[in-house]
Amino acid sequence: MKSVIKVQDVRTVFGQKVVHDGLNLHVLEGEIYGLLGPSGCGKTTLLREMVMLQKFSAGTIEVLGLKINNIRHKDAQSLRRQWGVLFQAGALFSSLNIAQNIALPLVEYTDLSKKMIDEIVAFKINIVGLNSSDALLYPSQISGGMKKKAALARALAMDPKLLFLDEPTSGLDPISAREFDELILHLRSLLGLSIVMVSHDLQSIYDTLDRVAIIDNKKIAYEGTLDEVTSVKSEFIQTFFRAKNE
Amino acid sequence: MNHSTLHLNYTDDKLSLEFSGEFSLYNISTFETQLKDIDISHVKNIEINLEQLTYLDTASSIFINALYTRYKNHNVTLLCSNKEIQETLELVKQERKKYTQIPHRKKRTFLETLGQNSYNNYRGFLAFMAFIGELFATKFHYLRSIKNIRYKEIAFELNESAIKALGIIMLTSFLIGVVVAYQSAYQLKIYGANIFIVDMLGISMFRELAPLITAIVIAGRSGSAFTAQIGAMKITQELDAMRTMGFDPYIFLVLPRIIALVIAMPILIFIADMMSIMGGMIVANINLAITPELFLDRLSEVVAAKHFFIGLLKGPFFAFLIATIGIYRGLMVKNDTQSIGLNTTKSVVESIFAVIVCDAVFSVLFTNLGI
């Protein structure tokens, strides 16, 4: 299968602190891929590097066939239209309501009529499990779970091939979290997305992920399916996955 | 509650420390002073007796363990049969092995602090230069096509930072006109040079005071607003979200604000000019008996139009400084609420300072050019 993201020998340094040292992984097309690891191991940093929010010191990252190290402005812009990113707290634009938030990329990047855009927005709102009546609310007026759903709808607005999720279930109650997992699985089968997510939620990890990369001690401690993960000798893996297997 | 006592029992060459009651962290300091002054040089055996204790918390366990190590050379023994207390002691002992002391932060010498601060300021300056560079790089990109200009945002910012500021600008400049005229009227009267109030007001207001007052009000009003808005957007990751969607924050947020302020400033300065002259005119009429007709006649006679135009010309430069500093400070906000306050303060102080420096440069420049 074709890989959508290739990370090779990535090294990240903050001041004197080395976060990643020789990181390698690849994400295949159509899979849900998890980045796991103890707090502060640089999962979110790696995610931010993949979406070009942060520079890395050495190595290469290739996303959808394009190397992002010294990417041209035009290529970068085309990449950005092909992915969607869901931030931990949603990061909805506070000056716009939900419908306007979702419509924004459509308004900016396409010549679609207002009617068509409204139609698309209504569809996206519906697909993530929000009510059409919520569309006119502002981010400050809705709950955390709704914010995540609305942000997911915005990430899906341009029908991306690739979706990045930063702790999608954190801060949600267990029921909403399971609903969110199902939603992600549903969307994957519906839209054929490739998904990269950072998660701490064990239930969510077992329910949704096809393959995982575990970052520990600046390197990838394990990459592969969850079935064989416990065979790896790593303190983090043993502690993290023990609860589930007992 | 928390009643605990320590008895010291000397027998021959043996010292017995008998703890009793409920030993918790409130008692530690008392016992510490009690034990500090005892002489143990001739004591061979020390016994820590916990038989009478009914309760021991973890802090006190650490204390007991510390005592144990302190008296290591005196053949120390521990008497304790209460199982719970034994467990607490054991727990603390086991945990203690796992960690090392938290290292103390090294105190910096004066030279080190000075060096660090200088370096940080140097880095800050470089970052500002990088910001200006990126601004111009984007600007060229942006102005390549007229389609790219975001009229809606510019109009919105014009309303926010110009139209809504009209009231305060009018009031401030009117009052400045009144104050300056009133103070000079008194002096001029002594020499009977009443009519020269027109020359004085005209030149000082048009050329220096009106632009400066406007710039200071706008720096306090719009500069701080820019910093706080963009800083808050950075904290909530809205800026990151924009970047990943391919919307350059420079085009969506930065340039519209700068362009709007550059357009607004000369207009505001013009209004300030008019209002301050009006203030001066009223004072001249009341205090010096100069009629408005006479005032205006004299004004057009003695005050050259260049003073007025120089004042307006300064506007866009001041606006550019205020807007760039305000926005730059907003982008410098880190991921905590403290830094919004800090950067907003810095933004206002730095932009007022920059405006005054810029004004001084203009003063020297224009005088040398003979304008």
Side-chain angles (χ1 to χ4, degrees):
Chain A
M1 232 192 294
K2 216 175 83 187
S3 53
V4 285
I5 297 179
K6 261 190 244 164
V7 173
Q8 273 169 336
D9 296 321
V10 162
R11 183 180 160 86
T12 311
V13 183
F14 290 140
Q16 291 173 342
K17 189 169 176 265
V18 181
V19 182
H20 304 135
D21 192 10
L23 220 64
N24 290 292
L25 59 85
H26 58 284
V27 180
L28 302 176
E29 199 171 8
E31 72 177 351
I32 303 184
Y33 191 90
L35 295 174
L36 318 180
S39 298
C41 73
K43 305 178 290 288
T44 302
T45 306
L46 183 61
L47 196 77
R48 288 172 64 86
E49 285 168 355
M50 287 175 182
V51 296
M52 298 190 281
L53 283 176
Q54 200 152 358
K55 295 235 161 65
F56 41 95
S57 317
T60 56
I61 296 181
E62 209 178 300
V63 181
L64 297 170
L66 286 169
K67 278 205 175 75
I68 62 170
N69 295 44
N70 281 312
I71 195 165
R72 285 162 56 210
H73 182 74
K74 217 177 99 199
D75 292 338
Q77 285 299 82
S78 88
L79 257 188
R80 287 180 180 127
R81 292 183 203 193
Q82 291 176 60
W83 72 39
V85 184
L86 171 64
F87 288 89
Q88 208 172 331
L92 291 167
F93 301 126
S94 42
S95 55
L96 306 175
N97 64 29
I98 294 183
Q100 287 168 331
N101 259 293
I102 300 168
L104 187 65
L106 299 165
V107 173
E108 292 299 330
Y109 286 138
T110 66
D111 305 326
L112 294 172
S113 66
K114 188 164 181 318
K115 198 166 161 248
M116 189 63 209
I117 288 177
D118 287 346
E119 192 77 24
I120 297 173
V121 169
F123 170 73
K124 302 285 171 185
I125 287 181
N126 186 52
I127 204 175
V128 296
L130 289 172
N131 295 322
S132 308
S133 55
D134 302 330
L136 297 180
L137 295 175
Y138 282 85
S140 55
Q141 298 169 315
I142 60 177
S143 71
M146 283 167 79
K147 264 184 209 159
K148 291 228 160 154
K149 285 178 181 171
L152 184 63
R154 186 182 67 185
L156 293 171
M158 296 291 286
D159 285 322
K161 294 174 191 159
L162 186 56
L163 197 57
F164 293 95
L165 311 174
D166 190 0
E167 305 206 17
T169 54
S170 79
L172 297 184
D173 66 90
I175 298 167
S176 309
R178 297 295 80 77
E179 278 177 1
F180 207 90
D181 290 343
E182 270 175 32
L183 177 63
I184 287 166
L185 286 172
H186 180 64
L187 288 174
R188 194 261 299 260
S189 60
L190 207 65
L191 308 171
L193 298 166
S194 312
I195 299 174
V196 178
M197 72 157 105
V198 168
S199 185
H200 282 303
D201 183 342
L202 205 53
Q203 189 65 46
S204 164
I205 289 167
Y206 273 96
D207 285 351
T208 55
L209 298 184
D210 298 322
R211 287 198 317 136
V212 298
I214 292 163
I215 307 176
D216 196 12
N217 210 2
K218 299 166 201 164
K219 290 189 187 305
I220 299 288
Y222 174 79
E223 186 187 18
T225 58
L226 282 163
D227 305 333
E228 296 143 41
V229 70
T230 40
S231 61
V232 186
K233 269 205 158 72
S234 148
E235 200 184 341
F236 169 75
I237 294 175
Q238 293 303 331
T239 333
F240 192 72
F241 289 99
R242 197 195 307 142
K244 183 73 184 174
N245 293 336
E246 267 172 6
Chain B
M1 62 176 281
N2 299 325
H3 203 74
S4 175
T5 50
L6 166 60
H7 287 289
L8 304 177
N9 264 347
Y10 288 95
T11 44
D12 298 334
D13 56 355
K14 183 175 162 192
L15 168 65
S16 178
L17 309 173
E18 289 171 9
F19 294 91
S20 62
E22 282 186 20
F23 186 8
S24 69
L25 70 165
Y26 303 103
N27 310 114
I28 294 177
S29 59
T30 327
F31 295 165
E32 186 67 57
T33 35
Q34 218 175 329
L35 288 173
K36 205 168 69 185
D37 306 325
I38 58 167
D39 179 25
I40 53 163
S41 52
H42 62 281
V43 177
K44 281 203 182 122
N45 298 310
I46 289 180
E47 179 188 82
I48 299 175
N49 191 336
L50 304 179
E51 295 291 357
Q52 303 299 318
L53 268 189
T54 53
Y55 172 78
L56 184 73
D57 70 1
T58 50
S60 324
S61 309
I62 293 170
F63 177 71
I64 300 277
N65 277 333
L67 280 186
Y68 201 85
T69 9
R70 196 196 298 176
Y71 300 135
K72 226 169 17 196
N73 303 331
H74 296 275
N75 199 11
V76 57
T77 50
L78 191 76
L79 278 184
C80 179
S81 53
N82 185 326
K83 208 161 164 240
E84 275 175 32
I85 290 177
Q86 274 176 348
E87 273 171 13
T88 319
L89 279 172
E90 194 53 34
L91 175 77
V92 169
K93 217 183 208 165
Q94 289 305 320
E95 287 300 314
R96 185 64 192 85
K97 284 179 196 156
K98 292 187 194 162
Y99 60 80
T100 50
Q101 285 290 339
I102 297 162
H104 286 283
R105 179 167 277 184
K106 232 174 62 191
K107 271 223 174 98
R108 289 221 184 111
T109 62
F110 170 72
L111 213 60
E112 235 179 316
T113 323
L114 184 74
Q116 183 83 46
N117 287 346
S118 317
Y119 184 66
N120 284 346
N121 282 334
Y122 168 69
R123 288 285 297 267
F125 178 73
L126 285 189
F128 185 66
M129 288 294 125
F131 168 76
I132 298 276
E134 196 168 349
L135 187 68
F136 279 100
T138 338
K139 202 164 193 168
F140 281 122
H141 201 72
Y142 173 66
L143 295 178
R144 231 173 21 195
S145 160
I146 198 120
K147 218 170 54 186
N148 287 341
I149 298 175
R150 306 196 64 83
Y151 300 105
K152 223 173 97 187
E153 274 86 350
I154 293 175
F156 177 80
E157 290 303 331
L158 263 176
N159 182 40
E160 283 296 309
S161 50
I163 313 276
K164 289 188 180 173
L166 271 180
I168 187 72
I169 295 277
M170 283 163 84
L171 190 64
T172 334
S173 47
F174 176 79
L175 288 177
I176 291 287
V178 167
V179 168
V180 171
Y182 202 82
Q183 291 299 325
S184 42
Y186 179 75
Q187 306 291 334
L188 290 169
K189 231 192 236 166
I190 300 175
Y191 299 100
N194 292 11
I195 194 67
F196 284 101
I197 192 162
V198 182
D199 308 42
M200 219 200 80
L201 271 180
I203 294 178
S204 65
M205 283 300 160
F206 286 158
R207 200 176 166 123
E208 291 295 332
L209 283 178
L212 217 51
I213 294 297
T214 313
I216 289 170
V217 172
I218 290 299
R221 206 182 165 279
S222 304
S224 59
F226 290 171
T227 309
Q229 282 166 356
I230 291 181
M233 289 183 83
K234 196 170 176 198
I235 288 187
T236 54
Q237 286 191 307
E238 282 175 48
L239 292 185
D240 286 347
M242 289 182 83
R243 286 201 181 98
T244 56
M245 290 160 85
F247 302 150
D248 190 341
Y250 279 81
I251 288 177
F252 277 70
L253 301 173
V254 178
L255 283 173
R257 282 176 167 80
I258 293 178
I259 291 173
L261 215 54
V262 166
I263 295 171
M265 203 62 145
I267 301 170
L268 291 174
I269 291 176
F270 175 75
I271 305 278
D273 283 343
M274 296 305 115
M275 291 306 290
S276 56
I277 289 299
M278 199 167 103
M281 205 152 71
I282 292 171
V283 173
N285 194 12
I286 295 170
N287 265 22
L288 302 171
I290 296 172
T291 61
E293 291 84 17
L294 184 59
F295 190 100
L296 291 178
D297 270 352
R298 173 82 183 168
L299 190 69
S300 61
E301 213 171 278
V302 294
V303 181
K306 67 176 185 184
H307 299 301
F308 170 75
F309 286 119
I310 285 175
L312 289 193
L313 180 75
K314 287 175 181 175
F317 291 91
F318 290 174
F320 180 77
L321 286 173
I322 294 169
T324 41
I325 290 173
I327 292 162
Y328 166 73
R329 279 288 154 204
L331 292 172
M332 284 297 107
V333 166
K334 303 246 163 47
N335 214 350
D336 62 277
T337 41
Q338 286 265 320
S339 87
I340 284 198
L342 184 78
N343 278 294
T344 312
T345 313
K346 277 192 174 173
S347 126
V348 175
V349 172
E350 283 171 3
S351 50
I352 290 177
F353 177 71
V355 161
I356 290 172
V357 169
C358 178
D359 195 44
V361 171
F362 273 136
S363 260
V364 174
L365 202 69
F366 287 138
T367 312
N368 282 340
L369 286 173
I371 304 172

